[in-house]
Amino acid sequence: MALRDHSVSTTKPAEVHGRAVEGVYYRVSPLETKLCRGDEAIVVGGGNSAGQAAVFLASHAARVHMAVRGDGLADSMSNYLSTALARRPPIVVHAHTEITELEADEHGVARVHSVNRGGGID
C-alpha cells in the first residue's frame, strides 16, 4: 500500500487506501518515544514544535531525521533550539526535502520516500 502526495488530516490517523496506518503521529509523548525506541524516526517540519519533538525523540530513537522544505532551520526555528539540535548527533536535518510517499504493511509504516527539491533524491 502507498500514500502518494497526500495531505494527512491532523484529526484522525493517517490512512493508506482507507486503512489506518500505525507509526504516524502528530505529537510526541512518552508513549511515542517508547514506540520509537531503537528505531529511526522522521519529524516533518522545521519549526520549534518539530525541533522540540526531534530533541525528545533523540533520547530514545536510534536516529531522528528532520524533513525540512526550506534551506534549513535558521529561518523557522529559534536559535537556542537549532543549537540544541546541532549538539544531538542522532538528529539529521534534510533541507529542501518533502515526503512524497509512505508505504505500509500489516505492521505500519514500512518505507518513507522523499524528494530533495534542492537537486538530489533521498
Side-chain angles (χ1 to χ4, degrees):
M1 290 189 198
L3 171 70
R4 295 180 190 270
D5 296 323
H6 178 74
S7 296
V8 179
S9 168
T10 59
T11 60
K12 63 182 183 176
E15 294 184 356
V16 175
H17 299 294
R19 183 175 70 84
V21 176
E22 294 294 321
V24 177
Y25 309 101
Y26 303 102
R27 63 184 174 87
V28 178
S29 73
L31 174 62
E32 286 80 25
T33 60
K34 288 179 185 173
L35 295 172
C36 294
R37 185 174 302 279
D39 288 332
E40 294 197 24
I42 299 172
V43 174
V44 179
N48 282 342
S49 294
Q52 291 167 348
V55 168
F56 193 47
L57 285 169
S59 61
H60 298 82
R63 176 166 289 144
V64 178
H65 299 272
M66 292 187 72
V68 180
R69 286 187 291 181
D71 292 332
L73 303 176
D75 293 337
S76 59
M77 186 179 292
S78 62
N79 187 48
Y80 85 91
L81 192 50
S82 61
T83 301
L85 287 170
R87 291 186 197 144
R88 305 294 292 245
I91 299 175
V92 180
V93 177
H94 302 273
H96 305 286
T97 300
E98 295 179 27
I99 304 301
T100 58
E101 181 180 353
L102 297 177
E103 292 181 27
D105 60 20
E106 65 275 3
H107 303 292
V109 175
R111 187 172 172 95
V112 178
H113 298 270
S114 64
V115 62
N116 182 305
R117 303 284 183 203
I121 296 179
D122 290 339

